[in-house]
Amino acid sequence: MTTKTRLYSGMQPSAESLQIGNYIGALLNWKALQETHDAFFSIVDLHALTVPQDPALLAANTRRTAAQYIAAGIDPASSTLYVQSHVPAHAELAWLLNTITGFGEASRMTQFKDKSARHGAEATTVGLFAYPVLMAADILLYDTEIVPVGEDQRQHVELTRDLATRFNARFGETFVVPEASIVRETAKIYDLQNPTAKMSKSAESHAGVLWMLDEPSVTAKKIMRAVTDAEGGVVFDRENKPGVANLLTIYSSITGRTIASLEDEYAGRGYGDFKKGLAEVVTGTFGPVRQRVIEMLDDPAELDRTLAANADRAAAVAGETLARAYDRVGLLRGRTR
Ligand code: TYM
């Protein structure tokens, strides 16, 4: 029996590569937390389906995302790293939670509002609307105490807390009420071309998105072209120098150095020098990760075996929680299986 605190998080396999915001806002954090927590990390392929996906690409991107988790330092022997759809309990619990979620409550989710405004009413699916409820099911199935995410997921974790509390009040103590864990400094990495907008896998232009699997020369070029300001000076000022502040955040999180020490190092030097230093640091980190991903994808059978074994581990925990929830609401299956 483990006495470690239970932790859960996930990412969508919605692009061929993760972007550096996923790495800094999530993976780096996960990597550190997995040492001291009982960690579950999923690749949420059911969530990815809430917007149109090419089937062959979705399958490929699911493996690529798993390989990136491992190459970036998630250890599938000590953490449970699995694919969401391999554990049917997620879809099953999501249905139960749908029945206690208010229409108005789900309509207030800002990510839903943004995405549905982008797609238009006809192209917006019920799946997209129910996305946060499926996310709540992910978290609650594992008696999760801590959910490490970026700022954009805070509202979804709040909804999860509300649903857990509501279910417990209505049907008796069933779910652990989780807490979001958000590292303030790195909770939001911005687009290099538009440093007031979040860097995102679904950005319309890729010029300001640093992909983990980009060729090092492409990464370096994107950094050299990052938007800064006319003022000069490598100083952290989020309000007036959002471009430089973002680059400093990236530099600091990847190297573990403080912003102040970076400001000192680059005092009196131009943006060109600073960007060159950053490009070296980023390509130095992602170069080996990229190499490792390429190697892993060369042997997909081995990767698939790892994912299958981890899904079994996840299903054992999730199955117990689902049975408990079914029993509480009066579904016979909870009592007979
Ligand atoms: P997703 O795939 O959009 O993003 C994965 C993680 O990366 C963080 N992130 C960022 N952090 C800082 N700066 C950025 N620019 C940036 N972009 C993304 C996200 O906050 C997230 O932590 N709904 C989730 C996936 C999910 C999940 C879950 C998470 C499904 N079920 C259960 C936690 C627990 C999502 O779309 O993440």
Side-chain angles (χ1 to χ4, degrees), residues 112-334:
F112 171 72
K113 286 199 281 191
D114 290 350
K115 285 193 192 169
S116 56
R118 234 184 297 145
H119 297 300
E122 283 313 309
T124 296
T125 63
V126 173
L128 189 65
F129 187 60
Y131 177 114
V133 183
L134 178 59
M135 180 163 159
D138 299 342
I139 296 167
L140 298 181
L141 276 174
Y142 297 89
D143 292 334
T144 303
E145 293 162 89
I146 290 195
V147 188
V149 282
E151 183 60 41
D152 59 346
Q153 300 301 317
R154 183 191 293 277
Q155 196 187 25
H156 292 162
V157 179
E158 277 305 312
L159 175 74
T160 304
R161 291 170 56 81
D162 289 347
L163 293 179
T165 308
R166 185 174 312 153
F167 191 103
N168 288 347
R170 212 173 277 179
F171 301 108
E173 225 29 62
T174 309
F175 296 125
V176 172
V177 180
E179 295 220 12
S181 156
I182 299 176
V183 179
R184 201 169 49 86
E185 292 78 9
T186 56
K188 199 166 173 183
I189 300 297
Y190 297 84
D191 191 287
L192 300 193
Q193 286 301 318
N194 183 8
T196 51
K198 184 185 79 168
M199 189 181 285
S200 164
K201 292 200 233 46
S202 52
E204 266 166 32
S205 156
H206 289 181
V209 179
L210 292 181
W211 300 103
M212 269 172 63
L213 301 183
D214 265 344
E215 297 261 1
S217 60
V218 174
T219 301
K221 220 175 272 166
K222 286 181 179 171
I223 292 174
M224 295 312 289
R225 289 184 186 153
V227 166
T228 48
D229 52 72
E231 198 181 301
V234 179
V235 177
F236 189 92
D237 179 347
R238 175 81 69 207
E239 280 285 291
N240 302 309
K241 297 162 80 68
V244 174
N246 189 39
L247 297 179
L248 274 169
T249 305
I250 295 174
Y251 207 142
S252 150
S253 19
I254 288 193
T255 55
R257 293 178 55 186
T258 63
I259 301 260
S261 87
L262 292 169
E263 285 174 334
D264 278 353
E265 179 177 340
Y266 288 100
R269 294 165 67 186
Y271 288 154
D273 264 8
F274 171 56
K275 287 175 169 177
K276 219 154 145 207
L278 176 61
E280 267 166 30
V281 159
V282 173
T283 53
T285 302
F286 289 153
V289 170
R290 185 168 176 273
Q291 220 31 59
R292 185 91 186 85
V293 169
I294 292 170
E295 281 163 29
M296 265 187 276
L297 293 175
D298 236 18
D299 186 3
E302 170 64 23
L303 186 59
D304 287 353
R305 271 194 297 278
T306 303
L307 292 174
N310 277 257
D312 288 346
R313 228 149 70 196
V317 178
E320 277 187 27
T321 316
L322 181 68
R324 200 161 73 220
Y326 273 168
D327 183 49
R328 295 280 201 272
V329 299
L331 297 186
L332 278 180
R333 189 177 128 185

Side-chain angles (χ1 to χ4, degrees), residues 38-121:
D38 180 20
F40 285 71
F41 299 118
S42 59
I43 295 139
V44 294
D45 52 350
L46 297 174
H47 276 108
L49 288 176
T50 57
V51 297
Q53 300 285 343
D54 174 273
L57 256 187
L58 177 62
N61 289 345
T62 300
R63 279 205 190 98
R64 289 171 81 97
T65 305
Q68 287 172 87
Y69 278 23
I70 298 171
I74 300 303
D75 175 9
S78 59
S79 296
T80 305
L81 191 181
Y82 71 102
V83 178
Q84 183 190 37
S85 67
H86 294 181
V87 179
H90 290 252
E92 296 187 68
L93 182 62
W95 181 257
L96 282 200
L97 297 177
N98 275 329
T99 66
I100 64 159
T101 306
F103 182 84
E105 190 172 39
S107 308
R108 283 193 291 277
M109 295 292 118
T110 53
Q111 280 215 331
F112 171 72
K113 286 199 281 191
D114 290 350
K115 285 193 192 169
S116 56
R118 234 184 297 145
H119 297 300

